[in-house]
């Protein structure tokens, strides 16, 4: 474990947080010896760090096994941080940047009991604005609709689906793996869209972010340049809500 020294940072605090980060990344309770091996901290110093973090309820040491878990205080902090943020407001700067980069309309949609609706729209500087209306409902065949079908529990989407609206298994798997969906919009002829999920620390879907534009401008594959911009947005925006990746895989291995 490397700790970058800086005159503007407290090194002991960096080390303490890095221990928490290690247990979080491993996503499994850890023994003292394993933590010591991974961090390289001397046994005497590591004991002090672990004892301090345990006393502060940031870590929990299970009696009998002596395994270290993430503590209840971190759950309280995370819940408070998550609950204090309005999702649409938090991602608006990212949406505005994405709209500027793509010169397209960018929208954010949330799930409701009646299906997904658009709750935020960012228009580009282009004279012609294309996209759904604020508060507008989205069909299952839209790019955003496909995101909700792919990442929500089917029980929630069952009543929303119409006959023949379900995506096939091959497309479902592609969206699950690539984290992006594509569609020729059923609402407006010659308009297409691409959408990515906004995910939280539990890999739960918070909403869908969609780029809308004319067919000839919109991406059709995950390797297209605009798709890469969308996927970068997906990672940056989702990370605000605890979603973490390492070499393309989520750290808690729930993907």
């Amino acid at each position: 474990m490397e700790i970058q020294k800086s005159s503007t940072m407290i090194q002991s605090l960096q080390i303490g947080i890095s221990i928490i980060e290690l247990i979080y990344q491993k996503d499994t309770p850890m023994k003292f010896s394993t933590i010591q091996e991974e961090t390289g901290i001397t046994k005497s110093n590591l004991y002090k760090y672990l004892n301090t973090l345990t006393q502060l309820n940031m870590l929990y040491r299970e009696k009998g096994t002596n395994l270290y878990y993430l503590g209840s205080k971190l759950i309280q902090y995370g819940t408070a941080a998550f609950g204090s943020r309005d999702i649409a407001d938090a991602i608006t700067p990212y949406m505005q940047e994405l709209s500027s980069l793509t010169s397209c309309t960018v929208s954010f949609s949330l799930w409701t009991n009646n299906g997904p609706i658009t709750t935020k729209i960012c228009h580009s500087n282009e004279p012609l604005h294309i996209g759904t209306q604020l508060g507008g409902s989205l069909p299952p065949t839209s790019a955003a609709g496909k995101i909700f079908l792919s990442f929500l529990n089917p029980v929630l989407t069952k009543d929303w689906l119409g006959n023949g609206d379900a995506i096939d298994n091959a497309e479902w798997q592609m969206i699950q793996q690539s984290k992006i969906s594509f569609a020729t919009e059923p609402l407006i002829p010659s308009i297409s869209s691409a959408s990515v999920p906004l995910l939280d620390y539990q890999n739960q879907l918070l909403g869908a972010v969609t780029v809308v534009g004319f067919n000839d401008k919109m991406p059709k594959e995950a390797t297209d340049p605009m798709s890469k911009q969308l996927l970068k947005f997906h990672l940056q925006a989702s990370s605000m809500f605890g979603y973490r990746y390492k070499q393309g895989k989520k750290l808690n291995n729930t993907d």
Side-chain angles (χ1 to χ4, degrees):
M1 180 183 66
E2 294 186 5
I3 297 294
Q4 296 182 351
K5 295 183 178 181
S6 171
S7 59
T8 61
M9 300 181 72
I10 301 174
Q11 188 175 2
S12 60
L13 183 58
Q14 284 182 274
I15 294 173
I17 292 176
S18 71
I19 295 171
I20 295 173
E21 179 72 13
L22 173 65
I23 298 174
Y24 167 65
Q25 287 188 8
K26 294 297 183 180
D27 191 36
T28 184
M30 298 182 69
K31 295 181 178 180
F32 180 98
S33 58
T34 306
I35 297 173
Q36 201 276 324
E37 181 180 349
E38 291 278 350
T39 62
I41 302 172
T42 63
K43 291 183 178 180
S44 58
N45 282 338
L46 181 58
Y47 173 80
K48 295 176 183 177
Y49 278 111
L50 292 176
N51 186 56
T52 299
L53 293 170
T54 301
Q55 291 294 323
L56 294 173
N57 292 322
M58 292 185 178
L59 292 181
Y60 168 75
R61 184 168 68 90
E62 185 178 58
K63 293 181 179 180
T65 65
N66 290 325
L67 290 170
Y68 286 90
Y69 295 75
L70 296 180
S72 59
K73 185 63 69 175
L74 296 177
I75 299 174
Q76 295 175 27
Y77 290 158
T79 301
F82 184 80
S84 66
R85 307 201 71 174
D86 179 87
I87 297 174
D89 286 346
I91 67 172
T92 292
Y94 294 93
M95 291 177 61
Q96 291 171 336
E97 180 182 7
L98 185 61
S99 179
S100 177
L101 288 172
T102 61
S103 298
C104 292
T105 296
V106 178
S107 65
F108 175 65
S109 51
L110 287 171
W111 180 257
T112 71
N113 291 332
N114 297 316
I117 62 170
T118 300
T119 62
K120 185 76 178 184
I121 299 175
C122 291
H123 293 295
S124 69
N125 293 325
E126 296 292 312
L128 180 61
H129 294 161
I130 302 170
T132 184
Q133 294 182 343
L134 199 63
S137 299
L138 299 170
T141 51
S142 65
K146 293 179 180 181
I147 290 295
F148 287 101
L149 288 177
S150 299
F151 292 94
L152 280 183
N153 189 315
V155 173
L156 297 176
T157 60
K158 182 179 179 181
D159 293 337
W160 172 56
L161 281 171
N163 292 330
D165 283 340
I167 56 178
D168 60 36
N169 188 58
E171 186 173 14
W172 182 88
Q173 289 185 340
M174 184 278 292
I175 296 171
Q176 278 274 315
Q177 293 173 3
S178 65
K179 302 296 186 296
I180 190 168
S181 65
F182 308 97
T184 299
E185 286 294 321
L187 302 176
I188 309 174
S190 75
I191 301 300
S192 295
S193 61
S195 188
V196 293
L198 183 68
L199 301 169
D200 69 8
Y201 67 100
Q202 292 181 313
N203 201 23
Q204 300 296 309
L205 182 67
L206 299 175
V209 175
T210 306
V211 172
V212 185
F214 289 110
N215 288 344
D216 58 353
K217 188 176 182 179
M218 298 301 296
K220 300 296 188 294
E221 298 178 352
T223 55
D224 291 342
M226 190 184 294
S227 295
K228 292 180 179 179
Q229 290 176 326
L230 259 172
L231 290 168
K232 181 180 179 181
F233 170 95
H234 153 71
L235 291 174
Q236 289 178 332
S238 295
S239 69
M240 292 191 298
F241 302 94
Y243 191 59
R244 298 288 299 277
Y245 272 78
K246 184 177 182 181
Q247 296 180 346
K249 292 187 67 177
K250 189 171 181 294
L251 290 173
N252 65 9
N253 294 322
T254 57
D255 278 354

